[in-house]
Amino acid sequence: MIRDITIGQYYDTDSVIHRLDPRVKLAFTLLYIISLFIGHGPVCYAYAAAFLVLVIVLSKVPVRFMVKGLRGMLVILIISALFNVFLVQGEIIFRWWIFSISKEGVRTAVLMVVRLVFLVIGSSLMTLTTTPNDLTDGLERSLRFLKVIRIPVHEIAMMMSIALRFIPILIEEVNKIMKAQIARGADFESGGLVKKAKAMVPLLIPLFVSAFRRASDLALAMEARCYHGGEGRTKLHPLTYQKRDFLAYAVLLLYFGGMIAMAAVLP
Amino acid sequence: MELTLKHISYSYNPDAKEPKYAVKDVSFTIREGEFCALIGHTGSGKSTLVQFLNGLMRPTEGLVLFNGENIFEKKYPLKTLRQKVGLVFQYPEHQLFEETVLKDICYGPKNMGLGKEEQIDSARRAMALVGLPESYEEKSPFELSGGEKRRVAIAGVLAMNPECLILDEPTAGLDPAGRDDILGTVRELSDKENIAVVLVSHSMDDVAVYAERLLVMNSGELVYDDTPRNVFRHYKELEKMGLSAPQVTYIAHELKKRGLDIDENVMTIAEAKAEILRIFKK
Ligand SMILES: Nc1ncnc2c1ncn2[C@@H]1O[C@H](COP(=O)(O)OP(=O)(O)OP(=O)(O)O)[C@@H](O)[C@H]1O
Ligand SMILES: [Mg+2]
């Protein structure tokens, strides 16, 4: 039951990418982002685009879900494009009043936007194809080495998965309390900022009360079932690499090597 | 006061390929001073249905009329409607937030735009109605027992002087004494103040004692709308829906089968007692 509850972005379908081990997908995200910074020039980006398209097709996630993530970035994209267009010095191709646009400016702006778009799509691919639970599992496993320097990796991962688990519950709770207060004549919509902020009090206090109650119930339930932190704890579904995971690693390394080679050879 | 639902349907996923309906083509009218009970198996759509009655949710299809006016008309004053049709949610104690009981009960009247004096007057009146002593006024709502919290929450809605009071399982999680207390209070309100009541409940025994009219829901559809006594005649059908008749009705049926000349349609313990005494006196 708990594993079925999804939040945020996860797009539920069955694809090769969905079945990959979360650690592979973490590596993909990391290496893909690095590759975007190694590469420069249209050829490298065409190469990165081809790889991204391949992964998107394999993942069976509709393209509009990718674009959704970009919508929030739109302002940042436009601002960074404008800055580059107007501020990069070089061969002037257009001039009006105090504004001037250079060839290099346009070039940098385009490449910058492309890079950002790829970055966002690349990393949203991971959250689109991995359930939050798998993601935390993967993170916990991948970051286990940090224990050496006394970072409580297991505890942080546990906190993350509990937080993720609670998001849908709290959203439901907000809805319920909101309706109850509206039934008592509350008005969350009209009025200025101060009035709106004040109107939130009858929503927030019951929400906090219920969040604390749930948290303490959960802590008690965990302790009653002998939870005592990560030491010596085993997993019901331990992450194990399959053949396809090694294959995916190989493809990923091939892509990454290709990018390095291209970046070195091209001017 | 007259509150009418006309062919209401509602789906939580109307855009899906096969929308699942939580409420299917339900029509009924609630009239002044009436005490209705709404009963149905878990997930039969009761909580969904009651939220149409004060315009908290918009049905996918159908109309809600208050005194003949469509409440989803553009300019309809929904705030006034919500004052007139008070809705108490399941586990209403989770909505308390003020420092003191009195302030919390004043929240509704305050939102209606009443003056300070009037707010406190209606709050005190509501407290008296639900049987909360004056000494509770300055207590924090968070330090009360479950049943007391529930009373505060109900008073919070009553303080708005509703003409119709809807209670979604007001007795869930209360002990038998607390249950009888709350239901008795509601019954009294309906008798004395002429408030129409819609009581959502799971317990046929409670419904038999308190309600004049019984609405039975089964997987989103309204299957019976009649007096409790007439509905309980269909106790075989009720069982198929995961419901049942009151326990005394079963006992009466069993006694009848064993040859006792008893009226098998008794619903409450009081009625059964009178009936059995009548037989033994003969
Ligand atoms: N927020 C929601 N999202 C999706 N489906 C919902 C939601 N709330 C309720 N449902 C579905 O609608 C149907 C009716 O639910 P409702 O809460 O109205 O039942 P109920 O009769 O009040 O049950 P109970 O007696 O358990 O309170 C159920 O099948 C439920 O799964
Ligand atoms: Mg319910």
Side-chain angles (χ1 to χ4, degrees), chain A residues 192-265:
Chain A
L193 202 61
V194 179
K195 191 168 168 241
K196 265 191 191 160
K198 263 192 177 159
M200 295 305 272
V201 172
L203 179 62
L204 290 179
I205 292 179
L207 185 67
F208 273 101
V209 170
S210 111
F212 281 123
R213 194 188 53 236
R214 276 177 203 283
S216 97
D217 285 356
L218 182 69
L220 210 63
M222 283 169 79
E223 248 168 37
R225 291 186 224 172
C226 305
Y227 177 78
H228 52 77
E231 220 43 62
R233 189 175 163 80
T234 54
K235 293 229 169 226
L236 180 58
H237 302 286
L239 293 173
T240 45
Y241 282 125
Q242 310 288 321
K243 225 199 220 148
R244 59 168 175 263
D245 297 315
F246 293 116
L247 202 68
Y249 271 132
V251 172
L252 186 59
L253 284 179
L254 215 62
Y255 159 78
F256 194 65
M259 184 60 100
I260 293 176
M262 236 182 257
V265 173

Side-chain angles (χ1 to χ4, degrees), chain B residues 7-11 52 57-64 72:
Chain B
H7 304 291
I8 296 283
S9 295
Y10 185 81
S11 168
F52 301 128
M57 283 194 353
R58 214 173 235 278
T60 321
E61 282 159 52
L63 289 178
V64 183
F72 292 112

Side-chain angles (χ1 to χ4, degrees), chain A residues 173 176-177 179-188 199 201-202 205-206 209 213, chain B residues 51 54 56-57 79 82 87 89 94-97 104 107-108 111 142 156-157 160:
Chain A
E173 194 85 18
K176 250 197 319 214
I177 299 170
K179 277 184 181 167
Q181 306 300 25
I182 291 176
R184 291 211 275 165
D187 186 353
F188 294 110
V201 172
I205 292 179
V209 170
R213 194 188 53 236
Chain B
Q51 292 178 51
N54 72 346
L56 268 180
M57 283 194 353
K79 214 165 160 175
R82 288 180 187 136
L87 175 58
F89 276 89
H94 295 170
Q95 76 199 28
L96 303 176
F97 70 96
D104 202 281
Y107 180 65
N111 286 329
F142 296 103
V157 171
M160 300 195 295

